[in-house]
Amino acid sequence: KWTFLNHGAFGLALDLGLRRANEWRMHLESQPLRHFDRYLLNHLAHGARRMVDFVTKDESDASRLREGVAMIQCVTGGLNAVIGGHARCTRGRGKVFYYDIAYGSSKKMCEKYHGRNGVCI
């Protein structure tokens, strides 16, 4: 069973989500230093914990996953971290099987690490 999370490519944002995002923007713009210094990290950590609780079946799965979940800004950054980290950890002995035919950034990342770190595509 798969759950598709719409990232905005197929329609408008929900009104509630749009209003909440605007509230966060206003909060940030009112005092940027306060936002980054006192609130952002706590809210990111809370969001990561809530996401883990949502996608796991029981507490043992959740406690295991909480240690390894990181919030990322975009898919490209996340994929770059995973593919690049894999290439560094395997020291040229690893393989990346690339299936995506539509997302050009993924192909470029795989090609970058293939030449430099020996990752096979």
Side-chain angles (χ1 to χ4, degrees):
K1 181 178 176 184
W2 292 88
T3 301
F4 178 75
L5 300 177
N6 181 359
H7 69 295
F10 302 102
L12 300 173
L14 297 173
D15 286 341
L16 176 63
L18 191 58
R19 282 195 304 272
R20 191 67 179 128
N22 284 330
E23 289 171 8
W24 272 104
R25 283 186 200 96
M26 293 305 294
H27 181 273
L28 165 65
E29 293 297 335
S30 67
Q31 284 199 15
L33 182 60
R34 176 192 64 188
H35 176 79
F36 288 111
D37 209 31
R38 297 186 187 151
Y39 296 112
L40 183 60
L41 182 58
N42 291 332
H43 285 285
L44 288 174
H46 176 74
R49 287 191 301 270
R50 293 286 308 266
M51 182 191 63
V52 166
D53 292 342
F54 178 73
V55 300
T56 54
K57 293 181 181 178
D58 57 46
E59 183 57 34
S60 63
D61 287 339
S63 62
R64 182 178 49 81
L65 280 176
R66 281 190 194 111
E67 295 299 318
V69 170
M71 303 296 270
I72 59 171
Q73 290 182 331
C74 66
V75 173
T76 303
L79 284 171
N80 196 37
V82 170
I83 295 169
H86 176 266
R88 287 186 297 278
C89 288
T90 60
R91 294 191 174 107
R93 296 181 308 273
K95 295 188 186 307
V96 172
F97 294 96
Y98 177 75
Y99 294 106
D100 193 331
I101 59 171
Y103 192 56
S105 294
S106 299
K107 181 179 179 183
K108 288 180 182 178
M109 284 181 263
C110 288
E111 289 171 347
K112 172 184 174 183
Y113 291 112
H114 169 69
R116 195 166 57 166
N117 295 313
V119 176
C120 297
I121 301 172

